[in-house]
């Protein structure tokens, strides 16, 4: 039956901004559009005779499903029949039709191109038969508008009368996500190998007579960018639809779906095998609920421009333009451009995200980018700490990808770590840039001890080989260098053999600890660069035993000098969050006016009333307390406190949840007329079902003998000998005394002003101390020495559950030194888990540019020049 009646149809589609690519070779007869001009496709024009077709769209089209309404045909649309273009004619009742020459075979096919359809063909392509773009990079907020401009294919059959019914030429996925998050990207990747002809999902297609539009090049993924100018796309328990356009096909291996959100969390799902025809939409539904211990997730799915350096030879590389000198105009790209230009795999997709270290140090990516802020929002990287000399590549990021200098990628810190110590598991993929002469390293900044590293599943031997540049090979002081011996470099710029998977375990991670990936060499005369991908970080807070006591040692520097003007409010809130059972504070007396080096005078101390006759209280066994300290300790839940031997302005105070018995306040030494200069104390606390004897101390500084601050005494470092005398006197009065031979639970702690012999490897390899100063270990040798079969253990390094056992496991507690040390008897060593040798959080971090006392040369930090030490004991053992 020949067409004769009039009917109007509508159609609607949904597309987004992106580019295209997949690789299936169409039949040779129709490659690149060949053969499509046959009469069976586009009828020959007879002599005379015209036929009218009213334009309609297939019911349930993608445009209707995605956009909710059909396309309205208009005179601005273009209908192609053979090589002739027709504009629809509008009838009086609003219907659209075209009059075309009658086919002598009765077979008709047409292409309909709404306005802007030509945007979906490569420039220079044989429009409308070849180089149709099925975009790989799509944007949530422009889906509906762009899909409405996508071309359609019309076919006539007698069953439709005189209607030409237009169908979609591409397919779609309908991904429904349920949950509670703001989504940043929805990414699908084909599981098929490169050798599979159905490997690609998107790309550039040509028309085939039998199969319609068939990809002849492209990529194996489609990414839906959902950053939405920094707002993301909200999902709820009711579900939100995400539409991704792709090539029709039989995806017999299934797809991998990766979802990321604006908070840098993510989840990977499996999409089973499916087949989808042109015009069809395949639905899948998932509940988005990232793992509870996931802290950070970045697979760089919104990084879609630039070279393919991941070794997929059948996957093409695309960018908005072929330009390679992006750094000449770094803000040119906004992040939402179409990217249809084929580029080499060595071509970056962006300029340096942060280019000059001097202008970015201390600023986040969003605060100081070199690229446009629109680009930063589109990639959801504004809150990262650094992306120094980083550039976008397809599905990954390069660091130091040019030859000028190294690059760095650093994530932000984790505020949820406040008041907690975490064990963190980090994994990432890394590849050296082809020809790189640099090495690669991981930084664990401000705390963190790396206890295990695996490269491609093989454990890496952790060493402490000092290399002369304040870094260690596998030492993990704060840097782990991985050479091209550890990470095999690629043998060509095809990058098929250069990628490695790294897994790390990091202990003692706190609120200010940050993780970063760097080049090592700062020189400009070598070739730099590496690529990173699939960064994931998981964290588990330290789990306290059911029967525990938590003990803190903290030199609070002149009675928390920096917070006394604030009524110690910050100090109190900080103490509450750490939930400590027993605390020993050194320098517990306030001396100076807040923010100055001016003495307040003894009558105006913020902490301690004016203690009289201090020296007459030598070796007193009666408890010494202070009303100001009593009031302060109660604010964090400690109703008990006691004061050490009180000889000068640097006493120690012990506070506790449970009662404290003062055994002795120690001021006199073992020799008549010589003193424990800052005093010491011997206390007994009942906690965790045990009685524990605690010795507090603060040893004399090592520089000079007390009372003779002469250059000769300083040159001889006589103070270290006095430290040894003090340490010996204190031990003989407490732990080594036969009076307490029946006591088994001992803790001895304080500011020793002396380094531990267990840390000597660190000091020697870092060349921090000249050989004479290594004798600073004198005092701590006394504490760890044996007598009558008894000895104490350096708990941070020797506690049974400590992560700091072994070489390279070092964190300083004051400056570059670990001089705040907690010792324990064998019974306490077996119970000890060291949470932190020096707590790393925002508040207790010593501030820079301390106040300097011009008279004494002493510098004061905010809040202290020391960090706290935290040890927990499992009292069930």
């Amino acid at each position: 039956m020949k067409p004769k009646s009039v009917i109007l149809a509508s159609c609607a589609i949904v597309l987004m901004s992106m580019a295209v690519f997949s690789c299936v070779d169409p039949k040779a007869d129709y490659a690149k559009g060949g053969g499509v001009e046959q009469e069976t496709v586009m009828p020959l024009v007879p002599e005379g005779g015209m036929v009218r077709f009213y334009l309609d769209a297939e019911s349930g089209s993608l445009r209707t499903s995605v956009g909710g309404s059909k396309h309205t045909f208009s005179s601005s649309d273009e209908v192609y029949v053979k090589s002739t273009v027709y504009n629809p004619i509008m009838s009086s009742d609003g219907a659209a039709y075209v009059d075309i020459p009658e086919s002598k075979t009765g077979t008709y096919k047409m292409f309909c191109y709404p306005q802007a359809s030509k945007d979906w063909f490569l420039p220079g392509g044989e429009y409308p038969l070849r180089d149709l773009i099925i975009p790989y990079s799509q944007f949530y907020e422009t889906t509906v508008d762009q899909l409405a401009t996508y071309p359609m294919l019309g076919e006539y059959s007698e069953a439709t009368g005189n209607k030409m019914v237009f169908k979609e030429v591409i397919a779609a996925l309908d991904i429904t996500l349920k949950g509670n998050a703001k989504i940043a990207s929805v990414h699908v990747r084909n599981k098929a190998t490169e050798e599979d002809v159905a490997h690609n999902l998107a790309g550039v297609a040509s028309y085939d007579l039998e199969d319609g539009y068939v990809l002849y090049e492209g990529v194996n993924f489609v990414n839906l960018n959902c950053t939405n100018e920094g707002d993301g796309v909200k999902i709820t328990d009711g579900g939100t639809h995400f539409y991704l356009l792709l090539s029709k096909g039989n995806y017999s291996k299934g797809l991998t779906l990766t979802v990321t959100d604006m908070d840098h969390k993510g989840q990977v799902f499996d999409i089973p095998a499916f087949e989808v025809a042109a015009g069809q939409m395949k639905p899948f539904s998932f509940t988005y609920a990232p793992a509870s211990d996931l802290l950070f997730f970045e697979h760089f799915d919104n990084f879609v421009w630039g070279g393919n350096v991941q070794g997929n030879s059948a996957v093409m590389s695309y960018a908005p333009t072929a330009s390679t000198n992006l750094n000449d105009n770094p803000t040119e790209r906004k992040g939402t451009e179409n990217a249809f230009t084929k580029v080499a795999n060595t071509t970056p997709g962006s300029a340096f995200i942060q280019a000059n270290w001097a202008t970015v140090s201390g600023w986040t990516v969003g605060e100081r980018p070199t690229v446009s802020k629109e680009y930063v929002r589109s990639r959801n990287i504004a809150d990262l700490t650094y992306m120094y000399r980083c550039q976008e590549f397809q599905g990954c990021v390069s660091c130091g990808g040019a030859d000028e200098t190294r690059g760095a990628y650093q994530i932000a810190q984790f505020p949820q770590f406040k008041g907690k110590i975490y064990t963190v598991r980090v994994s990432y993929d890394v590849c050296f840039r082809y020809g790189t002469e640099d090495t690669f390293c991981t930084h664990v900044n401000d705390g963190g001890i790396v206890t295990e590293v695996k490269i491609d599943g093989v454990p890496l031997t952790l060493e402490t080989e000092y290399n002369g540049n304040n870094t260690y090979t596998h030492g993990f002081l704060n840097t782990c260098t991985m050479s091209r011996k550890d990470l095999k470099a690629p043998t060509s710029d095809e990058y098929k053999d250069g990628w490695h998977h790294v897994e790390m375990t990091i202990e003692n991670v706190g609120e200010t600890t940050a993780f970063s990936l760097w080049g090592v060499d700062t020189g400009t005369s070598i070739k730099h660069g590496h690529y990173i991908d699939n960064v994931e970080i998981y964290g588990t807070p330290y789990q306290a035993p059911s029967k525990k006591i938590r003990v803190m040692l903290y030199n609070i520097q002149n009675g928390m000098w920096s917070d006394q003007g604030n009524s110690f409010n910050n100090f109190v809130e900080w103490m509450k969050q750490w939930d400590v059972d027993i605390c020993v504070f050194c320098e517990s007396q306030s001396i100076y006016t807040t923010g100055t080096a001016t003495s307040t005078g003894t009558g105006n101390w913020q902490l301690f009333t004016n203690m009289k006759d201090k020296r007459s209280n030598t070796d007193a066994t009666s408890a010494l307390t202070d009303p100001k300290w009593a009031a302060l300790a109660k604010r964090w839940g400690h109703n008990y406190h006691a004061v050490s031997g009180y000889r000068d302005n640097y006493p120690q105070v012990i506070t506790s949840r449970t009662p404290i018995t003062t055994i002795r306040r120690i001021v006199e030494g073992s020799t008549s007329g010589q003193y424990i200069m800052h005093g010491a104390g011997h206390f007994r606390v009942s906690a965790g079902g045990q009685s524990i004897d605690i010795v507090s101390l603060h040893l004399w500084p090592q520089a000079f003998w007390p009372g003779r601050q002469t250059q000769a005494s300083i040159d001889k470092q006589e103070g270290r000998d006095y430290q040894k005398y003090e340490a010996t006197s204190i031990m003989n009065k407490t732990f080594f005394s036969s009076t307490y031979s029946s006591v088994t639970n001992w803790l001895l702690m304080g500011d020793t002003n002396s380094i531990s012999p267990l840390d000597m490897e660190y000091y020697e390899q870092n060349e921090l101390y000249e050989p004479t100063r290594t004798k600073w270990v004198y005092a701590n040798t006394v504490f760890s020495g044996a007598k009558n079969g008894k000895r104490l253990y350096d708990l941070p390094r020797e506690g049974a559950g400590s992560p700091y056992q072994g070489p390279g496991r070092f964190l300083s507690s004051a400056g570059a030194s670990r001089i705040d040390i907690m010792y324990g008897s064998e019974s306490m060593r077996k119970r000890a888990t060291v949470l932190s040798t020096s707590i790393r959080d925002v508040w207790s971090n010593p501030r820079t540019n301390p106040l300097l006392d011009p008279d004494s040369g002493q510098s004061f930090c905010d809040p202290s020049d020391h960090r706290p030490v935290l040890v927990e004991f499992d009292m069930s053992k």
Side-chain angles (χ1 to χ4, degrees):
M1 181 173 67
K2 294 184 178 180
K4 49 190 174 185
S5 57
V6 178
I7 293 182
L8 173 66
S10 312
C11 59
I13 284 186
V14 190
L15 180 63
M16 324 173 184
S17 155
M18 34 228 133
V20 344
F21 323 102
S22 249
C23 200
V24 174
D25 289 329
K27 297 181 180 65
D29 291 343
Y30 299 97
K32 295 279 186 176
V36 298
E37 291 289 332
Q38 295 182 24
E39 179 190 359
T40 54
V41 181
M42 301 295 181
L44 297 174
V45 180
E47 294 184 6
M50 301 293 286
V51 61
R52 175 169 296 183
F53 283 98
Y54 286 88
L55 309 183
D56 199 357
E58 184 180 31
S59 299
S61 68
L62 292 182
R63 300 171 200 240
T64 304
S65 301
V66 174
S69 61
K70 285 187 173 184
H71 170 73
T72 302
F73 288 91
S74 71
S75 58
S76 61
D77 293 333
E78 294 181 345
V79 175
Y80 277 70
V81 180
K82 203 172 183 180
S83 300
T84 305
V85 181
Y86 299 86
N87 293 112
I89 302 169
M90 309 305 297
S91 65
S92 59
D93 59 0
Y97 65 91
V98 292
D99 290 333
I100 63 172
E102 183 176 11
S103 167
K104 62 182 179 181
T105 64
T107 301
Y108 300 88
K109 286 192 178 182
M110 304 180 186
F111 293 94
C112 178
Y113 296 93
Q115 283 185 315
S117 280
K118 290 184 179 180
D119 291 344
W120 301 114
F121 288 82
L122 288 182
E126 189 179 323
Y127 177 79
L129 301 177
R130 55 181 292 178
D131 298 338
L132 171 68
I133 295 166
I134 303 176
Y136 66 94
S137 173
Q138 306 173 15
F139 291 81
Y140 180 90
E141 61 268 33
T142 57
T143 295
V144 173
D145 291 342
Q146 293 185 323
L147 183 53
T149 67
Y150 218 74
M152 297 172 286
L153 175 63
E155 293 184 277
Y156 163 74
S157 70
E158 289 192 7
T160 61
N162 61 339
K163 289 192 301 182
M164 179 61 67
V165 179
F166 287 91
K167 301 180 180 180
E168 313 291 354
V169 298
I170 55 174
L173 292 176
D174 175 7
I175 305 294
T176 301
L177 295 179
K178 301 177 182 180
N180 183 19
K182 290 185 177 181
I183 301 302
S185 66
V186 177
H187 185 91
V188 291
R189 185 175 296 270
N190 200 337
K191 296 178 185 177
T193 63
E194 294 180 55
E195 292 75 23
D196 193 321
V197 294
H199 176 253
N200 290 329
L201 298 180
V204 188
S206 287
Y207 185 75
D208 177 271
L209 176 63
E210 295 182 9
D211 295 329
Y213 279 102
V214 179
L215 295 169
Y216 66 83
E217 69 175 35
V219 297
N220 62 349
F221 68 90
V222 173
N223 185 70
L224 182 62
N225 187 313
C226 305
T227 51
N228 196 21
E229 297 185 348
D231 293 330
V233 177
K234 176 72 175 174
I235 63 172
T236 66
D237 291 337
T240 300
H241 293 270
F242 296 84
Y243 303 105
L244 293 87
L245 304 181
L246 72 164
S247 175
K248 63 183 180 61
N250 181 6
Y251 298 104
S252 59
K253 305 296 184 183
L255 308 179
T256 297
L257 167 66
T258 305
V259 180
T260 61
D261 64 36
M262 299 297 291
D263 292 326
H264 302 290
K265 302 292 179 63
Q267 190 172 2
V268 178
F269 302 92
D270 178 76
I271 295 179
F274 67 95
E275 185 172 3
V276 61
Q280 290 184 346
M281 183 159 60
K282 190 70 175 177
F284 295 97
S285 181
F286 302 93
T287 297
Y288 179 70
S292 59
D293 60 344
L294 178 62
L295 302 171
F296 184 86
F297 185 100
E298 181 57 80
H299 284 201
F300 302 101
D301 289 334
N302 281 333
F303 283 54
V304 291
W305 296 344
N308 163 33
V309 294
Q310 297 188 337
N312 299 314
S313 60
V315 173
M316 307 302 295
S317 303
Y318 299 91
T321 67
S323 174
T324 58
N325 59 342
L326 298 170
N327 295 307
D328 293 341
N329 190 9
T331 62
E332 179 183 54
R333 294 180 179 175
K334 307 304 180 185
T336 55
E337 294 87 345
N338 289 326
F340 302 151
T341 302
K342 191 184 303 184
V343 296
N345 64 349
T346 55
T347 302
S350 73
F352 288 130
I353 295 171
Q354 291 178 306
N356 188 324
W357 184 254
T359 63
V360 303
S361 181
W363 301 83
T364 65
V365 173
E367 291 169 328
R368 287 286 180 91
T370 304
V371 293
S372 69
K373 292 198 172 184
E374 295 92 337
Y375 172 86
V376 169
R377 287 194 296 269
S378 75
R379 298 317 190 245
N380 193 33
I381 55 177
D383 58 345
L384 299 187
T385 305
Y386 297 124
M387 291 191 74
Y388 172 59
R389 301 191 75 80
C390 290
Q391 292 177 284
E392 176 174 341
F393 276 75
Q394 188 185 99
C396 65
V397 66
S398 73
C399 293
D403 294 338
E404 290 87 346
T405 186
R406 62 179 180 167
Y409 175 85
Q410 181 171 316
I411 66 171
Q413 297 160 342
F414 299 107
Q416 64 266 44
F417 286 8
K418 185 176 182 179
K420 297 182 179 67
I421 300 296
Y422 272 69
T423 296
V424 164
R425 304 181 311 281
V426 177
S427 65
Y428 56 90
D429 297 330
V430 62
C431 177
F432 281 116
R433 180 186 174 203
Y434 174 60
T436 293
E437 301 167 84
D438 198 358
T439 51
F440 166 79
C441 67
T442 63
H443 280 244
V444 182
N445 302 322
D446 199 17
I449 295 291
V450 177
T451 56
E452 183 182 48
V453 175
K454 292 182 179 179
I455 298 178
D456 299 326
V458 179
L460 184 67
T461 301
L462 306 186
E463 304 168 351
T464 54
E465 178 184 351
Y466 181 63
N467 67 11
N469 293 315
N470 291 322
T471 60
Y472 281 65
T473 301
H474 313 157
F476 303 118
L477 168 64
N478 59 12
T479 301
C480 168
T481 301
M482 300 183 193
S483 68
R484 289 182 295 281
K485 177 182 178 181
D486 302 319
L487 302 171
K488 300 298 183 183
T491 56
S492 73
D493 60 9
E494 290 186 354
Y495 295 97
K496 288 187 175 182
D497 56 353
W499 282 89
H500 300 275
H501 182 68
V502 180
E503 297 173 302
M504 307 173 68
T505 300
I506 310 172
E507 306 278 357
N508 192 77
V509 177
E511 183 184 9
T512 59
T513 307
F515 176 82
S516 55
L517 303 170
W518 293 70
V520 175
D521 199 314
T522 59
T524 59
S525 61
I526 67 170
K527 189 173 183 177
H528 296 267
H530 59 271
Y531 303 95
I532 57 174
D533 194 11
N534 299 327
V535 181
E536 296 184 16
I537 302 178
Y538 295 82
T540 304
Y542 172 78
Q543 300 297 317
S546 57
K547 189 177 182 181
K548 60 88 178 175
I549 60 170
R550 181 173 288 188
V551 181
M552 176 185 288
L553 166 65
Y554 193 7
N555 182 327
I556 58 174
Q557 184 191 236
N558 300 313
M560 197 50 64
W561 160 85
S562 71
D563 202 40
Q564 62 187 11
N566 189 45
S567 300
F568 303 104
N569 290 338
N570 295 316
F571 182 33
V572 169
E573 291 306 309
W574 180 84
M575 285 295 300
K576 287 180 179 178
Q577 74 188 23
W578 285 104
D579 189 31
V580 183
D581 297 292
I582 301 170
C583 299
V584 170
F585 300 102
C586 297
E587 295 193 26
S588 58
Q589 168 97 290
S590 55
I591 304 173
Y592 299 97
T593 301
T594 305
T596 74
T598 303
S599 174
T600 63
T602 58
N604 297 306
W605 289 333
Q606 295 295 313
L607 278 178
F608 276 107
T609 54
N610 186 5
M611 295 296 177
K612 297 180 180 179
D613 301 322
K614 290 178 287 188
R615 297 192 186 196
S616 66
N617 286 322
T618 59
D619 282 329
T621 57
S622 60
L624 177 63
T625 60
D626 179 80
K628 292 185 177 180
W629 261 103
L632 179 62
K634 286 181 179 179
R635 292 171 63 185
W636 60 70
H638 285 196
N639 291 323
Y640 305 93
H641 83 285
V643 183
S644 72
Y646 192 104
R647 186 182 178 278
D648 62 4
N649 289 331
Y650 297 99
Q652 304 99 57
V653 166
I654 179 173
T655 72
S656 174
R657 297 187 195 276
T658 53
I660 302 170
T661 299
T662 300
I663 305 299
R664 172 177 287 181
R665 290 185 287 108
I666 305 170
V667 173
E668 291 180 338
S670 300
T671 306
S672 177
Q674 290 189 344
Y675 297 94
I676 308 302
M677 300 305 294
H678 296 331
H682 180 186
F683 310 97
R684 186 165 292 156
V685 179
S686 294
Q690 297 279 336
S691 177
I692 304 170
D693 279 35
I694 298 176
V695 179
S696 70
L697 55 88
H698 183 179
L699 299 185
W700 181 253
Q702 69 283 344
F704 58 89
W705 192 273
R708 55 174 186 252
Q709 190 175 353
T710 63
Q711 189 59 49
S713 180
I714 293 173
D715 290 343
K716 294 178 182 179
Q717 291 282 299
E718 288 184 335
R720 67 181 180 232
D721 297 317
Y722 201 86
Q723 286 180 348
K724 185 176 182 179
Y725 166 76
E726 288 185 316
T728 302
S729 297
I730 293 169
M731 290 286 281
N732 286 338
K733 290 175 181 283
T734 58
F735 183 69
F736 287 150
S737 172
S738 60
T739 304
Y740 309 109
S741 59
S742 63
V743 176
T744 58
N745 297 327
W746 286 90
L747 294 176
L748 180 147
M749 68 191 82
D751 179 353
T752 68
N753 273 315
S754 178
I755 61 180
S756 171
L758 298 177
D759 296 335
M760 284 310 301
E761 181 183 39
Y762 161 75
Y763 295 112
E764 291 170 352
Q765 291 178 339
N766 266 293
E767 301 175 354
L768 292 175
Y769 300 95
E770 56 268 33
T772 57
R773 290 197 176 189
T774 62
K775 294 182 180 180
W776 284 16
V777 302
Y778 274 5
N780 283 309
T781 301
V782 172
F783 295 138
S784 60
K787 183 177 180 180
N788 298 327
K790 297 177 64 179
R791 65 160 290 192
L792 294 175
Y793 297 87
D794 181 346
L795 295 181
R797 296 299 302 270
E798 299 176 293
S802 172
Y804 308 99
Q805 301 178 61
R809 310 295 170 84
F810 179 90
L811 285 177
S812 64
S813 67
S817 304
R818 186 174 72 95
I819 59 177
D820 302 272
I821 303 177
M822 190 182 303
Y823 289 89
S825 58
E826 173 63 16
S827 62
M828 300 305 288
R829 183 197 71 79
K830 291 179 178 178
R831 299 166 175 150
T833 294
V834 181
L835 302 189
S836 181
T837 61
S838 58
I839 290 176
R840 304 289 165 145
D841 63 8
V842 171
W843 187 77
S844 65
N845 180 32
R847 313 302 195 271
T848 56
N849 302 318
L851 175 72
L852 181 67
D853 181 350
D855 297 324
S856 67
Q858 183 178 11
S859 61
F860 306 146
C861 290
D862 176 11
S864 174
D865 54 347
H866 292 247
R867 290 182 181 271
V869 178
L870 196 63
V871 180
E872 189 152 273
F873 299 90
D874 184 352
M875 301 307 293
S876 66
K877 295 182 179 180

